Amino acid sequence: MIYLNDNIAGFDLEAALPLLSQQRREQTLRFKFLQGRKTCAMAYLLLCQGLREEYGITERPVFEYGEHGKPAIVGFPHIHFNISHCREAVICAVSDRPVGVDIESVREYKDSLVNYTMNEREVAQIVQARRPELEFIRLWTMKEAVLKWSGTGINDNIKDVLTDFSRPIETIVNSERDYVYSVVY
């Protein structure tokens, strides 16, 4: 299940802090800027909402981290989740199987970044698109969701991540708020 909040400006961080686990509160307060603090807390609260609605879990989750940094919930190895955020929104996916999610703001891109992260076919897609910046972000969120699903994180094989990937990838474009997200189950 997907949980999304795109009202970062309206989020009350002070009211949220007591709702976080000690671990997450410390993590939240390590962010230098308010935006980072808000999105960190919001992501955790979306996870709490998902755990409540999907599994009836009301305790505050505590995380442990895998070899490549992928978080898991201590005591609930059968529950999978993934979170992401950008300037406009925070998203959390909760599932009973591995899941990866990425959300990004649509913004201008640099050719050097496209050439570093995309293969020839993807570069052609981007160049030929009506909105190349949107096509780049769409492909990027797909790649990052796949890498987060696999638990490997960004690696040297970024250009070919989607080449042989056969699972469905759901991608949503919010043109009104200018963000894109992709989810892999």
Side-chain angles (χ1 to χ4, degrees), residues 18-36:
L19 305 175
L20 309 179
S21 68
Q22 181 66 33
Q23 177 192 48
R24 191 61 171 203
R25 190 171 26 260
E26 289 171 4
Q27 190 177 23
T28 297
L29 295 174
R30 278 196 293 264
F31 281 89
K32 181 177 180 179
F33 298 107
L34 181 60
Q35 176 83 4

Side-chain angles (χ1 to χ4, degrees), residues 133-164:
E133 73 282 3
L134 178 60
E135 185 63 10
F136 170 73
I137 293 299
R138 188 184 73 78
L139 290 167
W140 176 258
T141 63
M142 293 169 68
K143 288 180 182 227
E144 194 158 333
V146 168
L147 292 170
K148 291 171 79 177
W149 168 83
S150 71
T152 60
I154 294 177
N155 57 43
D156 294 337
N157 195 30
I158 190 73
K159 287 187 176 189
D160 297 318
V161 168
L162 301 177
T163 303
D164 295 322

Side-chain angles (χ1 to χ4, degrees), residues 12 27 64 183:
D12 184 348
Q27 190 177 23
E64 58 189 357
V183 182

Side-chain angles (χ1 to χ4, degrees), residues 42-165:
M42 289 172 76
Y44 183 83
L45 293 178
L46 286 176
L47 173 61
C48 290
Q49 178 185 353
L51 294 174
R52 230 180 8 262
E53 292 180 11
E54 303 298 318
Y55 298 97
I57 297 171
T58 57
E59 62 196 71
R60 295 175 187 155
V62 174
F63 303 141
E64 58 189 357
Y65 296 89
E67 178 184 350
H68 299 286
K70 186 170 184 173
I73 303 168
V74 172
F76 298 95
H78 63 288
I79 299 175
H80 301 269
F81 74 97
N82 204 232
I83 57 178
S84 184
H85 53 81
C86 64
R87 287 187 314 264
E88 291 76 25
V90 178
I91 192 167
C92 177
V94 179
S95 181
D96 59 357
R97 57 189 176 195
V99 61
V101 65
D102 187 48
I103 191 166
E104 299 288 340
S105 306
V106 177
R107 62 190 177 282
E108 189 177 334
Y109 66 87
K110 293 181 171 50
D111 288 333
S112 60
L113 183 59
V114 170
N115 292 326
Y116 182 74
T117 60
M118 303 292 159
N119 62 38
E120 288 180 23
R121 183 184 54 76
E122 294 163 343
V123 170
Q125 273 181 252
I126 292 166
V127 171
Q128 295 168 5
R130 187 176 62 79
R131 289 189 61 198
E133 73 282 3
L134 178 60
E135 185 63 10
F136 170 73
I137 293 299
R138 188 184 73 78
L139 290 167
W140 176 258
T141 63
M142 293 169 68
K143 288 180 182 227
E144 194 158 333
V146 168
L147 292 170
K148 291 171 79 177
W149 168 83
S150 71
T152 60
I154 294 177
N155 57 43
D156 294 337
N157 195 30
I158 190 73
K159 287 187 176 189
D160 297 318
V161 168
L162 301 177
T163 303
D164 295 322
F165 191 74

